[in-house]
Amino acid sequence: MKNKKMAPIGVFDSGVGGLTVAREISRQLPYENIVYFGDTARVPYGSKSQNTIIRFSEQIIRFLRTKQVKAIVIACNTASALALDAVKDEFDLPIIGVVIPGARAAVEATTNGKVGVVGTEATVQSGMYTKVIQGMNPEIEVIEKACPLFVPLVEEGFKEHIVTREIIEYYLESMRNTDIDAMILGCTHYPLLRSKIREYMGDKIQIVNPAYETAMDLKRLLEEEEMANDETTEHHSEYSFYVSDAAEKFRKFANTVMPFDVPTTNVVNIEEY
């Protein structure tokens, strides 16, 4: 059991966005070890079919299992929506995604029953947040809005640039003119624009960050399964990062997101798994 508690958590995403989830896990569960995989060779997932997303997810989980992970977090909205059920049936370890925790937090946050969701084209076209939210409470009205340029703005380091404020206004003006009182950041890149989005949308709206909610779900899960790492003394958490391509670019971006230095990123031939 002690070895199980010391085992790492596997976190994966189609690329770099899932680092916001890894960051929240490192904040909320500071004694846990993390193995992160970013599928940088095959990003984006949004334009791929469900069968392809499931196959990619299966390969990544098989790779993460070679690192003896005790649980897996799918830190990708598209894979959470399209592959979570399939891989949970296939693998005998706890696997959670980012959609359900985010949806549940929004259902709890709204007082007037009107929720906004911003995400990638694929996430919005799938309507997955609407389905999950209305599955929890059919009375809630959901307004989804695709904001495709948010991802490249974040990845190119334009968070503080004036063009980012203009693009936020361009995408969210219509949503600001509705009476939603909660909004989900339905893409793992978007928490990096949270302060700018909040500034534009105003204080009346609760901004839901699924990365934070997922970390809290993971915490509850590990405690319930008695797998939480309680080696609180003299234990320095270990984090390792793997990608399928472009390791140096990933490492540089990771250093702008994670609260510690990421010295190395390793390339894996994921097709072998």
Side-chain angles (χ1 to χ4, degrees):
M1 181 55 87
K2 187 174 179 184
N3 284 355
K4 189 80 165 176
K5 288 182 175 184
M6 295 288 283
I9 291 149
V11 179
F12 79 87
D13 179 39
S14 57
V16 298
L19 288 165
T20 59
V21 179
R23 178 177 68 181
E24 283 300 336
I25 294 169
S26 74
R27 283 176 178 163
Q28 309 306 328
L29 295 89
Y31 305 113
E32 297 293 346
N33 305 306
I34 296 175
V35 178
Y36 182 96
F37 179 83
D39 199 359
T40 44
R42 304 186 294 196
V43 67
Y45 278 13
S47 52
K48 314 272 193 301
S49 70
Q50 181 168 11
N51 285 342
T52 298
I53 304 277
I54 292 170
R55 181 169 63 83
F56 288 178
S57 300
E58 288 168 340
Q59 289 175 327
I60 295 164
I61 291 168
R62 284 195 284 270
F63 163 69
L64 289 171
R65 293 198 70 171
T66 68
K67 304 299 176 188
Q68 279 73 52
V69 296
K70 63 185 174 185
I72 285 177
V73 176
I74 303 179
C76 169
N77 283 273
T78 307
S80 294
L82 301 181
L84 180 62
D85 290 344
V87 295
K88 278 176 84 165
D89 288 343
E90 186 178 345
F91 296 98
D92 61 341
L93 81 170
I95 303 174
I96 64 171
V98 290
V99 173
I100 291 168
R104 190 176 58 241
V107 169
E108 289 166 3
T110 183
T111 54
N112 70 0
K114 292 180 179 169
V115 171
V117 179
V118 287
T120 62
E121 293 275 15
T123 297
V124 169
Q125 280 171 6
S126 75
M128 61 190 176
Y129 273 104
T130 299
K131 285 180 210 137
V132 174
I133 289 167
Q134 291 181 340
M136 294 173 182
N137 182 345
E139 302 297 307
I140 291 178
E141 182 189 337
V142 185
I143 299 165
E144 297 201 42
K145 176 75 180 175
C147 306
L149 287 174
F150 284 2
V151 169
L153 284 171
V154 167
E155 292 199 1
E156 296 303 323
F158 276 38
K159 281 185 294 184
E160 302 301 326
H161 199 285
I162 186 135
V163 73
T164 299
R165 283 198 289 277
E166 290 170 355
I167 287 170
I168 287 171
E169 183 177 358
Y170 172 74
Y171 283 138
L172 300 186
E173 187 179 12
S174 59
M175 200 172 270
R176 192 166 74 164
N177 293 330
T178 67
D179 50 359
I180 61 163
D181 67 350
M183 188 168 86
I184 299 172
L185 303 179
C187 168
T188 49
H189 284 72
Y190 295 6
L192 298 169
L193 298 174
R194 186 171 187 265
S195 60
K196 293 278 182 289
I197 291 170
R198 166 167 288 302
E199 204 175 285
Y200 180 72
M201 294 300 290
D203 292 337
K204 299 188 299 294
I205 293 172
Q206 290 248 45
I207 306 276
V208 175
N209 177 3
Y212 169 79
E213 304 300 338
T214 302
M216 298 312 288
D217 265 28
L218 176 65
K219 189 176 185 180
R220 282 190 288 274
L221 171 78
L222 295 178
E223 285 165 359
E224 281 164 15
E225 301 282 337
E226 297 185 350
M227 293 196 299
N229 190 359
D230 48 20
E231 291 289 309
T232 54
T233 54
E234 296 173 30
H235 171 70
H236 295 288
S237 298
E238 291 173 14
Y239 302 96
S240 47
F241 297 87
Y242 296 86
V243 292
S244 46
D245 194 22
E248 185 55 20
K249 188 179 178 190
F250 175 92
R251 189 188 70 80
K252 283 180 179 166
F253 187 81
N255 276 319
T256 69
V257 177
M258 300 306 289
F260 51 78
D261 185 47
V262 177
T264 55
T265 301
N266 306 287
V267 179
V268 173
N269 182 359
I270 199 66
E271 296 282 5
E272 291 179 350
Y273 291 88

